[in-house]
Amino acid sequence: MTYRVCLVCMGNICRSPMAEVVLRQVLERHGMGRDVIVESAGTGGWHAGAPMDERALGTLAGRGYDGSAHRARQFTEDWFDRYDLVLAMDRDNLAFLRGMAPEGVEVRLFRSFDAAAHDGAEVPDPYYGGQDGFDEVLELVEAASAGVAKHIADEIR
């Protein structure tokens, strides 16, 4: 059985693709790379087809990650059937996704898997800020990815 997860932010050029790249590598390190498909999308479609933000790419590259293959996509209602787990980067995107999710589908905040995070913790949008925002996003994504990987391991084993 293949487990599928989708990480969702606003435009799919900063937070969710950074999380996609990091989570994929964490899963590989834990021997689950072949068992789990990790994808990302945005709730908005204005960046569809665009590569990851250059600042996000550079931040990832600085820590040994490669996000160069990413192309932005928009999450649509019919995608819920594709995924076992849908994770939003912030409360606005969480509310948007929950508003279109079929009954019984659970959508969670990505940072809800970070044991050190408080309830309702978000991954802030770094788009309109400086480099420090992208550095913070990467730190938060790395911390939460370990918890997401543990959750997935419990689900598939």
Side-chain angles (χ1 to χ4, degrees):
M1 174 183 118
T2 300
Y3 192 91
R4 296 177 59 104
V5 60
C6 190
L7 309 164
V8 183
C9 68
M10 192 74 75
N12 193 222
I13 60 168
C14 296
R15 296 173 290 173
S16 60
M18 289 176 77
E20 175 187 352
V21 169
V22 170
L23 180 58
R24 191 176 290 130
Q25 188 162 319
V26 168
L27 292 166
E28 285 288 336
R29 283 196 308 260
H30 286 88
M32 294 184 283
R34 293 185 184 155
D35 302 323
V36 183
I37 294 171
V38 181
E39 298 178 330
S40 66
T43 54
W46 51 91
H47 293 295
M52 194 182 307
D53 182 283
E54 287 293 327
R55 298 165 295 174
L57 277 171
T59 303
L60 287 171
R63 289 251 186 88
Y65 299 105
D66 179 8
S68 63
H70 175 75
R71 294 297 175 267
R73 303 177 314 149
Q74 183 177 9
F75 193 96
T76 60
E77 188 174 346
D78 61 320
W79 286 22
F80 284 105
D81 290 342
R82 299 182 191 181
Y83 299 104
D84 299 292
L85 184 61
V86 177
L87 300 175
M89 295 292 122
D90 62 35
R91 288 185 295 272
D92 288 341
N93 288 296
L94 178 69
F96 181 87
L97 291 165
R98 284 181 173 168
M100 72 174 170
E103 190 171 321
V105 171
E106 182 182 17
V107 182
R108 293 179 61 179
L109 283 171
F110 181 71
R111 289 200 61 211
S112 69
F113 292 94
D114 181 350
H118 62 82
D119 285 345
E122 303 176 294
V123 177
D125 190 349
Y127 187 78
Y128 292 106
Q131 181 58 47
D132 58 333
F134 288 88
D135 295 337
E136 178 187 15
V137 166
L138 183 53
E139 289 174 20
L140 297 174
V141 161
E142 287 178 328
S145 290
V148 174
K150 182 184 179 320
H151 172 81
I152 293 171
D154 292 343
E155 290 287 312
I156 65 176
R157 292 193 174 133

